[in-house]
Amino acid sequence: MPKQSKVIAFDIDQASLISLRKALPDYVIEVENGATAASLTRDWNPGTVDLVVVQARRQVAETLELCRFLVSCGVLARDAPVVTDSQEDMPKILGLHRRRRNVARRPHSPLLVLVPPSQKNIVTDVLKAGAHSCLILPIDAKDVASMLVHAQTGNQPGRHTLDLERAQTEDRWRDEGGQG
């Protein structure tokens, strides 16, 4: 039996949940309400996750801490394939649980943050906190599906990232400047 894809959605509203289900009809969507970085135990293990969705809260700091925690605990994939002991600074800074050692990060597990129109100004901070993408509410199923495809293809040479992400492979054709 093939593995069923899984989404974890934190504090998502009903309209966004409907859009997620429309965009990802073959995915299992687990909804977590009220979870914070501090409330998730150090043993919290959601299993293999294909997408994590966080709806921004009124308290921006809570949203940023949750994003940082999800990235730091190994739930979401970033550039490094394995968490090492020397990378435990983020949970200590946040006063959170110690990161599990040698937890393999899952490839292509993007973090999508849903931002209310009144909080558009937090998008840059959310991306710096580890989100792969942000969508302004209300979301459309086509935008979610497009974001997931884009995130799963990864960083590519020549892709404009506002210096928030680096390309995963070297672009041999990129000119670094200097005298020719």
Side-chain angles (χ1 to χ4, degrees):
M1 182 173 185
K3 170 192 106 44
Q4 189 156 14
S5 298
K6 179 175 162 183
V7 175
I8 296 182
F10 290 91
D11 299 314
I12 192 165
D13 64 87
Q14 194 62 32
S16 297
L17 182 58
I18 291 168
S19 292
L20 274 179
R21 286 194 172 126
K22 186 176 178 183
L24 310 167
D26 298 331
Y27 284 62
V28 171
I29 300 174
E30 293 181 11
V31 178
E32 298 281 336
N33 289 314
T36 63
S39 73
L40 295 174
T41 66
R42 97 173 193 204
D43 296 329
W44 180 71
N45 183 358
T48 301
V49 178
D50 298 288
L51 174 65
V52 176
V53 179
V54 173
Q55 186 157 334
R57 299 173 179 172
R58 289 180 194 245
Q59 297 295 323
V60 176
E62 285 182 10
T63 301
L64 297 176
E65 285 179 10
L66 183 58
C67 291
R68 288 182 190 117
F69 175 77
L70 292 169
V71 171
S72 73
C73 74
V75 173
L76 305 173
R78 293 308 270 177
D79 294 332
V82 176
V83 175
T84 63
D85 295 343
S86 65
Q87 294 172 316
E88 292 186 0
D89 295 340
M90 184 58 70
K92 286 179 184 176
I93 291 169
L94 295 174
L96 300 176
H97 325 288
R98 297 183 83 196
R99 186 179 315 171
R100 291 168 284 179
R101 292 186 172 118
N102 299 323
V103 174
R105 293 188 181 201
R106 294 158 187 85
H108 308 298
S109 302
L111 171 59
L112 168 63
V113 178
L114 307 180
V115 180
S118 63
Q119 291 182 307
K120 282 192 233 181
N121 59 333
I122 70 166
V123 169
T124 301
D125 293 334
V126 168
L127 293 171
K128 286 180 182 177
H132 287 79
S133 186
C134 293
L135 292 176
I136 303 297
L137 293 170
I139 61 171
D140 183 72
K142 290 178 185 177
D143 293 335
V144 173
S146 174
M147 178 247 108
L148 186 57
V149 167
H150 180 73
Q152 288 175 339
T153 60
N155 296 337
Q156 298 172 352
R159 181 174 151 227
H160 299 283
T161 61
L162 297 175
D163 291 330
L164 296 173
E165 301 174 8
R166 298 285 181 237
Q168 292 173 347
T169 59
E170 181 181 351
D171 184 357
R172 296 179 305 154
W173 297 98
R174 183 179 186 124
D175 183 6
E176 296 299 327
Q179 196 155 359

